Amino acid sequence: MPSPQLSTLPCLTWSGGGGGGYARLLFVDFSSAFNTILPDRLVPKLLDLGLSHSTCLWIKDFLSDRPQKVRIGPHTSTTLSLSTGSPQGCVLSPLLYSLYTHHFSAAHPSNSIIKFADDTTVVGCISRGDETAYRDEVEQLHMYWITLAFCIHG
């Protein structure tokens, strides 16, 4: 698996905390994120969030054993059954992905993690030049997504 590309923007001046502080931001776009949802991992998360067992089973059924084939001109492939990801263009895909990843949040109070569908921003408020908490947060995000086998774009 290729190593993810992480990049930060140049430091932005920040007037909070008596001056001298700044913010570091990391913008991450996860490639084909909706395709990585695993129904067997999603269902326990939904149950933990309080969704009913029947709703979770419906979602699992919706995401499992979906037939797919490809047509190019007059040629059509054989049908394959998919049990990963959420269908492209489905209105539920961003919501299901957000629920799938909801538990990842900032570990340090000087950091924020902002998520919108498959886009994530890590914001670190740096004071006295100490970027330790921010860098730890970025490393945790990196390891989290590697564990879930995501490919990160820079």
Side-chain angles (χ1 to χ4, degrees), residues 69-153:
K69 55 186 168 182
V70 176
R71 182 179 1 187
I72 300 175
H75 307 285
T76 303
S77 70
T78 57
T79 301
L80 295 175
S81 181
L82 296 178
S83 290
T84 59
S86 186
Q88 293 297 318
C90 174
V91 70
L92 287 177
S93 295
L95 173 63
L96 292 175
Y97 180 79
S98 293
L99 294 172
Y100 189 61
T101 61
H102 87 279
H103 61 283
F104 188 82
S105 58
H108 194 276
S110 67
N111 298 324
S112 296
I113 295 181
I114 303 163
K115 296 184 281 186
F116 180 76
D118 62 341
D119 296 320
T120 300
T121 303
V122 179
V123 180
C125 297
I126 313 299
S127 59
R128 294 182 292 283
D130 183 5
E131 296 186 0
T132 305
Y134 170 77
R135 293 183 182 277
D136 287 346
E137 199 79 61
V138 170
E139 181 61 25
Q140 285 182 24
L141 177 71
H142 178 226
M143 295 310 298
Y144 175 76
W145 296 113
I146 290 297
T147 301
L148 290 178
F150 281 107
C151 180
I152 302 175
H153 294 248

Side-chain angles (χ1 to χ4, degrees), residues 41-76:
R41 287 190 184 175
L42 176 62
V43 168
K45 294 175 184 193
L46 298 176
L47 289 168
D48 287 346
L49 289 170
L51 272 72
S52 71
H53 187 70
S54 60
T55 300
C56 292
L57 290 178
W58 181 87
I59 291 170
K60 183 177 180 181
D61 185 59
F62 172 72
L63 295 175
S64 300
D65 298 321
R66 294 186 326 276
Q68 178 177 338
K69 55 186 168 182
V70 176
R71 182 179 1 187
I72 300 175
H75 307 285
T76 303

Side-chain angles (χ1 to χ4, degrees), residues 5-41:
Q5 298 295 317
L6 299 176
S7 60
T8 57
L9 290 178
C11 297
L12 302 174
T13 303
W14 164 55
S15 62
Y22 56 93
R24 282 236 183 240
L25 289 87
L26 172 70
F27 297 93
V28 185
D29 175 41
F30 296 99
S31 175
S32 302
F34 301 156
N35 293 335
T36 62
I37 297 171
L38 300 172
D40 289 334
R41 287 190 184 175

